[in-house]
Amino acid sequence: MSGRQPMIPAMPIVAIASLSILIGVSLFLWLFGQRFSRRYRETRGVMPPMTWMFRPTGDRELERWRRPALAILPIYLIALVLYLSRP
């Protein structure tokens, strides 16, 4: 069966690396979002706004989860663009 092409073509290393980063950062964003949401509901009794990452709260405990999530968001977006722009 020589000369036969594989069913799944090989992925470039950049695509594999960016997909790995996407998976890891997605898990971190989910974790930070869960903890932020839980603390926000405990202190305010309502769900946090959808733009929770972009609004300072003034609460040190909430900022503990909001700031790292906001800091890793650009990494997530860059990895997403790299993955989606692969040939």
Side-chain angles (χ1 to χ4, degrees):
M1 306 243 166
S2 62
R4 196 170 170 197
Q5 291 191 6
M7 290 177 60
I8 301 173
M11 285 178 64
I13 191 71
V14 173
I16 294 170
S18 59
L19 186 58
S20 300
I21 291 170
L22 280 171
I23 292 168
V25 173
S26 293
L27 290 173
F28 278 115
L29 286 173
W30 175 78
L31 177 69
F32 294 155
Q34 285 287 81
R35 292 186 178 176
F36 180 91
S37 182
R38 184 180 311 129
R39 172 74 177 158
Y40 194 92
R41 284 188 314 246
E42 287 173 359
T43 58
R44 296 189 168 101
V46 295
M47 290 294 290
M50 295 298 268
T51 56
W52 65 272
M53 267 194 261
F54 307 105
R55 293 183 179 181
T57 61
D59 183 349
R60 289 183 62 175
E61 185 65 28
L62 286 172
E63 291 297 308
R64 177 180 172 199
W65 303 114
R66 186 190 71 82
R67 286 183 180 180
L70 186 59
I72 63 174
L73 186 61
I75 297 167
Y76 181 85
L77 295 175
I78 290 168
L80 181 63
V81 167
L82 287 174
Y83 182 71
L84 294 177
S85 67
R86 72 187 193 284

